[in-house]
Amino acid sequence: MSVQEALRMRWLRTLETARNGKTTPDALPYADNLLARWAEDQRRYHTTDHLLAVLDHIDTLADHAADPQAVRLAAWFHDAVYHPERSENEERSAAVAVRALTDAGVPADLTEEVARLVRLTVTHDPAPGDTNGEVLCDADLAILASDPEAYEAYTRAVREEYDFVPDDAFRAGRAAVLRQLLDLERLFRTPYGAAHWEQRARTNLNGELTRLSH
């Protein structure tokens, strides 16, 4: 089964649950619209592979969330709009979520929660007790705890997304992002993330920061 097919099936299950079993309007056009967004030419890291990985991580962490379905829907939309040269991607992605989920018949309170979660990925800093936010942010940041080869591939893909930025400016901007992450008291807020991903992620981040400074 291709990544696209696997994601389409996941979308159908998630939307059916979110709509309490309703089957109209047809769920597939929403899936196809989102998958087309995640396959845009400017993406190198923020692709359907990333979406699938985030959904897999959410499955691992789902027991921690107050509403796992809200978190899964937020994963679908959290990079629905992604243009590396712009700063309002999360806000625009949240707006896409509100329009699509409202049109698809998802209850308003769930739609509002999805939009809130999408906006939270600006900072990846959920408030204490925000278990939905903790699961989404941990799942999105789990790439930071990859093995060295996968982490290197991730950093190469990010650099390719910012290929319009000169090397010196990219290194400075990337270093600032890494320091912001390292300054968080905890990168991962779920018990699983803290136990399995925190130390390895900090090792990767510190190693990349060192390389950027040479």
Side-chain angles (χ1 to χ4, degrees), residues 146-202:
S146 299
D147 61 69
E149 183 177 345
Y151 188 83
E152 183 180 353
Y154 152 70
T155 60
R156 285 198 307 269
V158 170
R159 181 66 184 104
E160 289 173 9
E161 287 185 338
Y162 286 86
D163 63 355
F164 57 90
V165 178
D167 284 344
D168 287 350
F170 177 81
R171 283 196 295 269
R174 179 68 179 172
V177 170
L178 298 179
R179 291 189 188 97
Q180 181 181 28
L181 289 169
L182 287 165
D183 283 345
L184 293 173
E185 183 178 351
R186 290 172 57 191
L187 286 166
F188 298 101
R189 311 300 177 86
T190 65
Y192 184 97
H196 292 85
W197 297 335
E198 183 79 20
Q199 190 54 55
R200 188 163 49 185
R202 288 190 178 273

Side-chain angles (χ1 to χ4, degrees), residues 47-214:
T47 64
T48 51
D49 286 337
H50 170 60
L51 172 58
L52 184 59
V54 171
L55 290 169
D56 284 343
H57 293 313
I58 290 170
D59 287 347
T60 298
L61 304 172
D63 287 346
H64 183 75
D67 187 348
Q69 293 307 104
V71 182
R72 291 186 176 100
L73 284 171
W76 275 90
F77 287 98
H78 81 285
D79 286 319
V81 177
Y82 184 75
H83 297 282
E85 73 279 8
R86 298 178 183 172
S87 60
E88 72 280 8
N89 289 316
E90 292 84 2
E91 186 58 42
R92 294 177 66 201
S93 294
V96 169
V98 170
R99 288 196 303 271
L101 295 177
T102 300
D103 187 66
V106 173
D109 57 344
L110 178 53
T111 296
E112 291 172 7
E113 174 65 357
V114 170
R116 182 190 73 82
L117 291 169
V118 170
R119 295 185 180 102
L120 186 59
T121 61
V122 174
T123 61
H124 292 95
D125 191 15
D130 179 7
T131 58
N132 288 341
E134 289 173 348
V135 169
L136 179 63
C137 291
D138 277 18
D140 195 28
L141 292 181
I143 183 65
L144 302 180
S146 299
D147 61 69
E149 183 177 345
Y151 188 83
E152 183 180 353
Y154 152 70
T155 60
R156 285 198 307 269
V158 170
R159 181 66 184 104
E160 289 173 9
E161 287 185 338
Y162 286 86
D163 63 355
F164 57 90
V165 178
D167 284 344
D168 287 350
F170 177 81
R171 283 196 295 269
R174 179 68 179 172
V177 170
L178 298 179
R179 291 189 188 97
Q180 181 181 28
L181 289 169
L182 287 165
D183 283 345
L184 293 173
E185 183 178 351
R186 290 172 57 191
L187 286 166
F188 298 101
R189 311 300 177 86
T190 65
Y192 184 97
H196 292 85
W197 297 335
E198 183 79 20
Q199 190 54 55
R200 188 163 49 185
R202 288 190 178 273
T203 298
N204 284 334
L205 292 172
N206 278 305
E208 184 185 357
L209 191 57
T210 298
R211 290 190 295 274
L212 287 170
S213 66
H214 288 81

